Structure formats: C-alpha cells, structure tokens
C-alpha cells in the first residue's frame, strides 16, 4: 500500500488523472491534453483491489477502470495468475 501511495502522490502532483473513456475519446479525436494526463486501469478483479487500491483511489480522488475477467466470475476456475503460481 505504501508504494502505491507514493505513486499516487507523484501522479497527484504531476498529472491530471481522468476516467479512461474521456481519455480514449480525446485520443481517438487526435485532441491533445493541455496537461500531462493519465487514466488508471487495474485488471483481474483481485481482492487486493478492493482492500488496498480502492481506499487509496478514494483518498486521492482518482477515478479508475477495473477490468474483470467475466469468464471466471462465479466459477471455480482459477485465473491465469493463480495457475502460474501453482505451477511454480
């Protein structure tokens, strides 16, 4: 959590953090942002996203996009990250 907090402090001081959809729309229209701009994305739907990332997003007031693997939601199927961990 502290490493992510440090990264968020840097982003807060140096960039404009906006939702993914408006950033993609601006890029598709070849619009330039007047300040350094980023969109935060997190993939996998991990529990740590809710327990660690979400509180920090709320603390900093950052929007974010969470990408979930719907094929494994509600199943006993392990996501690839877990399968790799078991294989090593």
């Amino acid at each position: 959590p502290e490493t992510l907090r440090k990264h968020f402090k840097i982003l807060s001081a140096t960039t404009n953090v906006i939702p993914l959809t408006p950033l993609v729309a601006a890029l598709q229209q070849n619009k330039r942002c007047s300040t350094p701009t980023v969109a935060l994305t997190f993939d996998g739907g991990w529990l740590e996203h809710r327990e660690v990332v979400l509180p920090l997003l709320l603390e900093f007031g950052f929007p974010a996009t969470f990408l979930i693997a719907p094929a494994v939601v509600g199943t006993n199927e392990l996501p690839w990250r877990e399968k790799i961990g078991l294989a090593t």
Side-chain angles (χ1 to χ4, degrees):
E2 289 310 311
T3 300
L4 186 58
R5 178 177 271 108
K6 288 178 186 177
H7 289 293
F8 279 10
K9 282 182 182 179
I10 293 168
L11 288 174
S12 181
T14 61
T15 65
N16 182 25
V17 180
I18 67 171
L20 181 61
T21 301
L23 182 58
V24 169
L27 293 171
Q28 288 174 333
Q29 297 170 17
N30 292 321
K31 291 184 179 178
R32 296 192 70 154
C33 298
S34 59
T35 59
T37 303
V38 299
L40 301 175
T41 63
F42 300 89
D43 63 323
W46 303 105
L47 181 60
E48 65 203 36
H49 292 164
R50 187 180 76 197
E51 294 179 348
V52 176
V53 176
L54 183 58
L56 289 172
L57 290 169
L58 294 172
E59 177 183 329
F60 284 86
F62 289 163
T65 298
F66 291 86
L67 306 166
I68 309 298
V72 298
V73 173
T75 72
N76 291 325
E77 179 70 24
L78 290 175
W80 67 268
R81 184 171 109 172
E82 299 298 323
K83 289 178 183 177
I84 289 172
L86 291 173
T88 57

